[in-house]
Amino acid sequence: MSQGQPANGELLRGPRLYVVMAAAVLAMLLGSLDSMILGAAMPRIVGELGGLDRLSWLVTAYMLTIAVSTPVWGKLGDMYGHKGAFVWAIVLFLAGSVLSGVAQSMSQLIAFRALQGLGGGGLMVGALAIIGTLVPPRQQGRYQGVISAVMGLAMVGGPLIGGVIADQLGWRWCFYVNVPVGAAALVMVAWLRLPRRRTKARIDIAGVILLTVAISVVVLITTWGGKEYAWTSPPLLGLFVLALAAVLALLRVERRVAEPLLPLALFKKANFSLITVAGLFLGCVMTSAVTFLPIFQQVVQHASATNAGLLLLPMFAAMVAVSAFGGQFITKSGKYKAFVIVGGAALTAGSFLLSWTDRDTSPVVLGVFMAALGLGMGLLTQTTLLISLQSAELDQLGVAASTATLARSLGGSVGVAISGALFAGAVTGARTADGTPVSGTGGAQPDPEVLARLPHALRLAYENAVADGTGRIFLFCTALAALALVAGCFVKEVPLRTVNVPEGADADALAPDPAQPGSPANP
């Protein structure tokens, strides 16, 4: 057995594990930093490129292509090797980042964000699959705790970095900053030597097409419904029919192909199905919070882009704290259900408290509300990934990781589309005391520089509308967080695997050689 290609039962230790973790963390940083940094720059982007009515599509396009590509990356990794898929995902993400930085219109930016998402779908999947292949679930609690803490730190620093970049360098550098991080990740990945699994099976093309259609149609329904078209209008009813037909056809195809894109057998495991549902709703709440809280802080609380990033610190600091503690506790005890339940309860409470925010809510009170939300986000982020990987066999770790990521991404894509509709509805329908509409006067732009030039009455009406729209968003998130809590209550606490041994294999036969460098006996 060559170094860097461990047997299935081996626990990585020492330098090799550090390289794996560093590569995984850097790749995850790409996606997280992009989302966190961009949130603080949203008002500036709209101020320069226009297109408030398409603001949510900056996030939706990115999340949609992540959702569509995630299962494909997972299956490619399972079939041909996770390292190669990981590298191509990083390269594609970086290409989308550079193109987004040079976009000259909102339409171009949305298109390039979609390209970013195609690569972004493989970042989290590749990192999780690599860690899942080399580290057993019982030990993953510790390492995922480290990852969650680092990601939380990125979330803490991301909005601040985004605010500084938007204020000092311009919003385009929010995309260019991905290049050095991505280059470092590529260097790390190049040094990895991982097990490869060759197969003659073909990619489930029919599954890819049908899943793409189903997800795209669902996002269009939630984006257009009640805004562009009435819910009972022929276009919307046609989309409902198309979505149902695509889902039914996908289920039929996945039952018959040799290498299904989404193995339905995984969903027969109650824990996997339940935690996937919880991850779906978690994605909606997280993405909505990160997208719209900075707008609320800049418009209603008159914070600069930099200060808006600082004001998000309570939410992300809570994520870091619980992630670090939770990972260690799960590794030592093997218990995780309590974290799912407490996380769901905190997510629900935080969302409900944030739904009461208005122009009179102080930053201190808002910080307490966000900390409650961050507590729930930190606990659920870690446990949803852990339970998904624990529920899958070794040859399906890529699919399990991709499904968990797909659920969160799809939740984020659909959720931010609905949240964007709720927000836009509140803003475009706002009027001053004398009946003057905010929209159509230049006031329906969340750029603080534009708002500062408006008459007092118009600016006040707009601020009230943004506060109202934010409240609607978090009331919607409260309902979804409560559903995540209900799903978590039915999760069963199955003992975590202590070694990565294929089902039916002899663990002793796969045990590492004590003389092998990096083995537990000889780290």
Side-chain angles (χ1 to χ4, degrees), residues 420-438:
L422 293 172
F423 183 84
V427 171
T428 57
R431 293 177 178 272
T432 62
D434 62 3
T436 303
V438 170

Side-chain angles (χ1 to χ4, degrees), residues 434-456:
D434 62 3
T436 303
V438 170
S439 59
T441 65
Q445 298 286 347
D447 188 343
E449 295 181 359
V450 174
L451 296 177
R453 297 193 295 266
L454 295 178
H456 175 73

